[in-house]
Amino acid sequence: MLKANRWVQGLGIYLVPGLVFQSVIVGGGYGTGREIAEFFLVHGAVSGLAGMLVSCVVWGLVLAVAFEFARLTKSYNYKSFFQALLGRFWWLFEVIYLLIALLVLAVLGSAAGEIISQLLGVPPLYGVLALMAFVGILTFYGSRIIERFFVCWSALLYLTYIVLLGSTFTEFGDEIAGHFANGEWVGSWGIDGVRYAAYNLNALAAVLFVVPRFKRPRQALGAGAIAGVVAIIPGILVFLTLLAGYPDTQVAAVPVVDVLAALNIVWLLVIFQVMLFGTFIETGTGVIHAVNERIANTFRMQQRVFPASYRAGIALGFVFIAAFLANKIGIIGLIASGYGLLSYAYIAVVIVPLLTVGVAIVVKQQPRPVLPSDD
């Protein structure tokens, strides 16, 4: 019994943070397959897969440093974290985070509307409204419920992706293998791997609430390194699946659904779309929960209570604005134009400071003092 308890405790320390991180990026990063096509499939089979491994290494390294840095500085929301890292320039992260939060939510709103429309034959607006409702409910109840939902849905996600990949290989295995056999090293796959990892580090803000579980440096560093692997595996499964329809999947709005349609397995199509909608809820909730935690911390500093109704109201406001953007620009335009530009901002504001200032503080185990803030 004691060994079993230690095993469960170890999973909670080393595995859950990675599952939470993966849950936040999955809807915007893997769910539709659009981002995989934009950053990796464009380079072909061999180069694209290599680019994904670059993203895995970047995530593992940055998250390991970030978790230990947050543990040392007791930074459990993004404002306190970046005050400790960037000093008076912490607000730079908040600006780009809010921009990419709206961008991610716009992508989710666009895809959710399309999926619900295909699944139930109703106008896309119903999908957006359903997304708003579920995100609002989860954010209303806070961190504990959010973490449980993320972990449970992640298990379903992995199972569904494995079944999808198995079905795809059964039907299109020769085509997928052929892409690797004939593959060449194409384009700036390494740079795209770093860029993809960079903009998805917006999920760091959403996962800081798990940091209090780390009691020692090896726990934080180990959980961060494992998180990179946990997060990339679903992406690799999606990438291999999309090769079945390559190069057509490279330009599809929701490439995964195109592959499912080609498989013509009705039950898998329905299950996947339900699972996919759940990943949108995960990502939307994670992105907004980070904002709520930042505001809640400000309320605590002012010795005020942050009402649960405010959490839900902020969530609904974000999703409403994002849905408007999605309707005006469209999912392909949002990803192609927005993600690429903001990825460079994340490299400058998150990756470079963490791998310089952050590493120095982690090595010395001496956090620098945080400047006081009124807001």
Side-chain angles (χ1 to χ4, degrees), residues 99-275:
L99 287 174
I100 207 165
L102 285 173
L103 182 61
V104 168
L105 290 169
V107 170
L108 298 180
S110 178
E114 188 167 340
I115 283 177
I116 293 297
S117 180
Q118 291 178 3
L119 193 62
L120 303 178
V122 298
L125 176 63
Y126 286 91
V128 177
L129 293 176
L131 180 66
M132 291 175 67
F134 282 111
V135 169
I137 290 169
L138 280 175
T139 51
F140 177 85
Y141 286 106
S143 297
R144 181 168 296 182
I145 296 299
I146 290 172
E147 181 179 319
R148 290 177 180 175
F149 177 76
F150 282 4
V151 171
C152 292
W153 205 264
S154 290
L156 177 61
L157 168 80
Y158 267 86
L159 179 61
T160 306
Y161 276 160
I162 289 169
V163 172
L164 173 61
L165 182 62
S167 301
T168 306
F169 260 97
T170 300
E171 187 70 22
F172 302 108
D174 291 340
E175 288 90 333
I176 295 172
H179 290 308
F180 280 102
N182 301 321
E184 298 178 349
W185 295 91
V186 179
S188 53
W189 52 270
I191 293 174
D192 277 351
V194 174
R195 290 172 61 226
Y196 183 77
Y199 87 76
N200 272 296
L201 282 169
N202 76 298
L204 170 62
V207 79
L208 289 173
F209 73 90
V210 306
V211 170
R213 72 187 61 213
F214 304 134
K215 306 305 179 185
R216 292 182 290 276
R218 64 182 177 87
Q219 293 178 341
L221 294 170
I226 291 171
V229 178
V230 171
I232 204 63
I233 289 174
I236 291 175
L237 297 178
V238 172
F239 177 79
L240 294 174
T241 298
L242 295 186
L243 286 173
Y246 180 78
D248 292 340
T249 46
Q250 187 180 323
V251 295
V254 186
V256 173
V257 174
D258 281 23
V259 173
L260 281 163
L263 288 172
N264 198 27
I265 304 176
V266 176
W267 64 267
L268 182 56
L269 177 62
V270 172
I271 289 175
F272 185 85
Q273 288 182 316
V274 171
M275 183 278 300

Side-chain angles (χ1 to χ4, degrees), residues 356-375:
T356 52
V357 175
V359 167
I361 290 173
V362 165
V363 170
K364 294 177 181 178
Q365 292 285 297
Q366 292 180 346
R368 64 187 185 185
V370 177
L371 295 174
S373 176
D374 296 329
D375 73 320

Side-chain angles (χ1 to χ4, degrees), residues 102 105 128-129 132 314-326:
L102 285 173
L105 290 169
V128 177
L129 293 176
M132 291 175 67
I314 290 169
L316 295 177
F318 263 88
V319 177
F320 179 80
I321 296 171
F324 175 79
L325 292 174

